[in-house]
Amino acid sequence: MNLNDVKFDERGLVPVIIQDAASGEVLTLAWANREALELTLKTGQTHLYSRSRGRLWKKGETSGNVQDLVEMRLDCDGDAVLYRVVPHGPACHTGARSCFHNPVTAEAAPPLGWVLEHVWRTIQKRLAEMPEGSYVARMHAAGLDRVLKKIGEEAGEVIIAAKNPGTDELAWEASDLLFHLMLTLAEKEMSLDDLARVLNERHQPG
């Protein structure tokens, strides 16, 4: 991305959409001037321009909820910027994960990517802390073979559910299978990014 291609408005600002790089969830809409974009690229953390305060600011400078930049993109017209980030804490000053938490229409189920990322982070937290009573901690203590056996069991239940009428049972069993697959990846010190990379490579056009 060439900053010379950015079309700043008459105030020298450009709108910035901030998105969770893992889940695709839109976290907030903010503004940046050229210096904020340069600092974001230089430091690898979100910098913006506050119109109300009339100054540069770093996301998390007071709250500690910093955002690590994964990628910066410019839209087709050059008049909007996208920050894809790894958030360390809520994006909204209210404490909500995203600033877009006030539904106007009926709320839909959250995107699958967001849910998987949330579950993945929970698995990582449980493995790090090993709290008493945690299913993840109990399965980890039982060993990898127990986790793999569970995958076999859940796969069989998915097959049975798919042969039965209706879809509720299938959704339930498929969710169990996905959970134990993620637990296996965690046990092998892999991540969802490893799957994303392989799937992306397989499905490139051409």
Side-chain angles (χ1 to χ4, degrees):
M1 172 179 168
N2 188 338
L3 295 186
N4 291 327
D5 294 331
V6 179
K7 296 177 182 177
F8 297 97
D9 65 15
E10 66 279 2
R11 301 163 296 176
L13 302 177
V14 64
V16 177
I17 298 167
I18 302 177
Q19 179 187 48
D20 187 314
S23 68
E25 181 182 17
V26 176
L27 300 177
T28 193
L29 171 65
W31 296 83
N33 59 8
R34 187 183 183 95
E35 186 178 1
L37 297 181
E38 290 173 343
L39 281 170
T40 299
L41 290 171
K42 180 180 178 180
T43 66
Q45 292 190 321
T46 293
H47 284 74
L48 300 162
Y49 185 87
S50 172
R51 294 176 297 169
S52 61
R53 289 173 286 178
R55 68 171 182 85
L56 288 168
W57 66 287
K58 174 186 174 183
K59 174 61 181 172
E61 62 187 3
T62 55
S63 66
N65 299 327
V66 298
Q67 297 172 344
D68 296 331
L69 182 72
V70 173
E71 182 183 26
M72 186 185 293
R73 293 187 182 186
L74 185 64
D75 83 336
C76 57
D77 295 320
D79 57 4
V81 174
L82 173 70
Y83 290 1
R84 297 182 62 244
V85 304
V86 176
H88 297 279
C92 185
H93 73 281
T94 64
R97 174 174 171 79
S98 167
C99 291
F100 295 94
H101 59 270
N102 295 314
V104 177
T105 58
E107 287 193 80
L112 178 61
W114 184 92
V115 176
L116 291 178
E117 181 64 23
H118 179 73
V119 173
W120 176 256
R121 290 176 182 173
T122 300
I123 290 173
Q124 294 287 320
K125 190 172 188 292
R126 297 290 186 272
L127 289 175
E129 298 176 355
M130 295 292 284
E132 184 177 354
S134 163
Y135 177 78
V136 170
R138 188 165 69 251
M139 291 295 287
H140 174 76
L144 180 61
D145 285 348
R146 180 68 187 95
V147 179
L148 297 179
K149 181 180 178 182
K150 192 65 176 174
I151 285 183
E153 294 172 358
E154 298 298 346
E157 290 175 4
V158 167
I159 293 171
I160 294 171
K163 298 288 286 184
N164 292 335
T167 58
D168 288 348
E169 181 186 6
L170 177 57
W172 183 273
E173 299 299 348
S175 297
D176 280 346
L177 179 58
L178 281 174
F179 174 84
H180 289 91
L181 176 59
M182 286 192 288
L183 180 54
T184 300
L185 294 177
E187 292 286 353
K188 297 295 291 183
E189 298 184 352
M190 295 175 63
S191 75
L192 296 182
D193 291 341
D194 294 309
L195 295 189
R197 183 180 63 255
V198 173
L199 287 169
N200 184 60
E201 291 172 352
R202 287 183 178 182
H203 294 281
Q204 289 292 330

